[in-house]
């Protein structure tokens, strides 16, 4: 059983080395029970990120670099997953906001054969969120409520950047994925629901990143528009 952990990144020279070292050390020291690779999916960085990626791939045998010529988190994830030949595909955000201790339960949920996909859940009974961004948290609640209503989704957190899926099921839904940006987190869940995938939410500990590249105004407006765009695309399938 092999896992590919994809980290999409754009202009992350300030935290890239530290984050990869933290993840690599954690996987080694925790005796992570699966064969794994770490794919750094650099989507058109204009800073020194690509050079750092190459250096990290020489330092760690499990790390590989993937350079993508166009900006976009969704494009980076879809491209990396499409090129990966493993049993289970995962991704996490470069800031490691999701506590790494929940990576094993995320993967195990799929590895034992009970589920096709596992998603980080920041709003569960056992979840803990450390954040002082009250406005952003309110906008997230409104967004998730809309997704629940419009798509009849049973989940309460569609946006968490901490997900895993079996390669077989990803191949099934891949032709129906088109999101290049931040909406990929939600699109993955909704398209998977439409195709009958079994999805398991995993309550996690999540620590907010003060330097997040997500724009509260611009990206939030765009993702609300994306909800209706996806609803239109899936018309008749819900």
């Amino acid at each position: 059983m092999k896992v590919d952990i994809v980290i999409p990144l754009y202009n992350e020279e300030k935290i890239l080395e530290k984050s990869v070292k933290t993840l690599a050390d954690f996987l080694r020291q925790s005796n992570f029970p699966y064969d794994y690779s770490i794919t750094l999916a650099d989507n058109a960085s204009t800073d020194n990120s690509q050079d750092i990626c190459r250096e990290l791939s020489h330092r760690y045998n499990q790390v590989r670099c993937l350079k993508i010529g166009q900006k976009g988190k969704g494009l980076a994830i879809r491209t990396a997953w499409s090129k990966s030949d493993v049993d289970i595909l995962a991704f996490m955000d470069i800031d490691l906001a999701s506590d790494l201790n929940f990576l094993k339960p995320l993967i195990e949920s799929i590895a034992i054969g009970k589920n096709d996909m596992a998603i980080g859940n920041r709003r569960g009974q056992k979840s803990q969120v450390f954040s002082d961004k009250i406005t952003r948290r309110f906008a997230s609640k409104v967004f998730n409520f809309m997704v629940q209503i419009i798509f009849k989704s049973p989940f309460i957190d569609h946006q968490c950047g901490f997900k895993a899926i079996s390669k077989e099921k990803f191949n099934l839904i891949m032709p129906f994925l088109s999101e290049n940006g931040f909406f990929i987190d939600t699109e993955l869940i909704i398209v998977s629901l439409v195709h009958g995938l079994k999805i398991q939410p995993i309550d996690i500990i999540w620590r907010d990143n003060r330097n997040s590249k997500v724009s509260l105004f611009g990206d939030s407006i765009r993702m609300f528009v994306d909800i209706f765009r996806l609803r239109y695309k899936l018309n008749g399938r819900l």
Side-chain angles (χ1 to χ4, degrees), residues 120-124 127-129 140 144 157 159-160 202 204 206:
N121 179 25
R122 297 168 294 183
R123 299 178 62 194
S127 303
Q128 295 182 59
V129 173
S140 178
N144 281 290
D157 186 2
Q159 297 169 290
C160 183
I202 306 291
I204 64 169
W206 188 80

Side-chain angles (χ1 to χ4, degrees), residues 9 12 14-20 49 52-53 56 94:
L9 62 104
E12 298 290 359
K14 293 182 179 179
I15 65 171
L16 177 55
E17 182 175 3
K18 180 181 178 181
S19 293
V20 172
S49 292
I52 297 173
C53 284
L56 289 167
I94 185 67

Side-chain angles (χ1 to χ4, degrees), residues 19-31 36 60:
S19 293
V20 172
K21 182 181 185 303
T22 298
L23 175 59
D25 289 347
F26 172 84
L27 292 169
R28 185 183 69 256
Q29 294 168 8
S30 65
N31 295 317
Y36 64 89
Y60 300 101

Side-chain angles (χ1 to χ4, degrees), residues 151-237:
F151 297 104
K152 302 175 184 177
S153 171
F155 305 110
I156 56 178
D157 186 2
H158 303 83
Q159 297 169 290
C160 183
F162 193 61
K163 291 179 171 66
I165 188 172
S166 75
K167 174 67 172 179
E168 178 185 2
K169 296 303 182 180
F170 172 70
N171 288 340
L172 172 68
I173 67 170
M174 179 176 62
F176 306 96
L177 300 172
S178 59
E179 173 58 33
N180 286 342
F182 292 114
F183 191 67
I184 185 65
D185 291 289
T186 302
E187 184 187 53
L188 274 170
I189 294 175
I190 301 306
V191 171
S192 295
L193 283 174
V194 168
H195 287 83
L197 272 63
K198 295 173 64 176
I199 305 174
Q200 177 64 48
I202 306 291
D203 291 357
I204 64 169
I205 297 173
W206 188 80
R207 295 175 176 84
D208 198 6
N209 174 21
R210 292 178 175 273
N211 298 313
S212 172
K213 287 186 170 63
V214 179
S215 166
L216 177 60
F217 181 75
D219 289 317
S220 293
I221 296 269
R222 190 175 298 112
M223 284 192 284
F224 279 110
V225 171
D226 286 337
I227 290 176
F228 295 99
R229 180 175 55 82
L230 180 58
R231 182 65 181 84
Y232 177 80
K233 186 173 75 170
L234 296 176
N235 189 33
R237 303 203 62 180

